[in-house]
Amino acid sequence: MSRLCVHTITTKPLSLEECLVQFPKRGVTGITIWRQALEGRDLGAVARQTRDAGLETVSLCRGGFFPAATAAGRQAAIDDNLKAIEQAQAIGAPLIVLVCGAVPRQPLVESRKQIADGIAAVLPAAEQAGVKLAIEPLHPMYADDRSAVNTMRQAHEICDVLGSPKAVGIAVDVYHVWWDPELKSQIDLAGQTGRLHAFHICDWKTPTTDLLNDRGLMGEGCINIKEISDWVDATGFTGHREVEIFSNKWWSADQNEFLDRIAASYGQLYA
């Protein structure tokens, strides 16, 4: 359980304060804070409260969404990511997860170029703040408007284009990449290049009722989570395993019972 992290979006109905109380009760040691949970808050106080709760801030979610149809839109995205870097530094988050974005009807190649350009524009600020950036490939079903980066290979290519800076790597989310026939070799490459920055877990339910908000607890679906996790660990990755579940079903349930189920499913998976 020492590597168990839960995202605040997973228990979306809970306030940040409630997360800080309830997560440790289940043996959770890490927390990934979503930016909406920071709205209107004193960021220094958030950092102190998280430490006092005995939780490690694993990352801040999320940055990205760099592509836009206009130069003004692309600059607005850069400005928002610079703000995210400031927030991450203030709360003590060593990493920002990037959901990179896409523009409907814009060629994916152009969107990927704008993603690389956007990361390049904010990279100096991230390096100065000591904050890493993790490109998260999203499932191809989101290629129209959520992310033009849909495989680990594409994420690696962006890292290459940027000159392989140490501050830029990849977040592996099993929900998005489990289907990829190149997954093991791409995870191996991430380990070899020092780019494996984060590992997210949940499950793909069959049938699914919502392509965004019907993710399952580990063991509820068809993803070979343990095998993928073993591939990740074989690279030398020792970071947290982050439970990130978007689920209308679980959001409408009692969140304390949900956390109990998360801890139980995690414990069974990694027994």
Side-chain angles (χ1 to χ4, degrees), residues 7-22:
H7 285 226
T8 58
I9 197 69
T10 296
T11 53
K12 186 168 68 169
L14 297 183
S15 67
L16 179 58
E17 288 81 5
E18 289 171 321
C19 291
L20 296 179
V21 170
Q22 296 301 329

Side-chain angles (χ1 to χ4, degrees), residues 234-246:
T235 70
F237 179 83
T238 58
H240 280 83
R241 300 164 180 139
E242 306 177 45
V243 178
E244 182 187 37
I245 298 174
F246 298 176

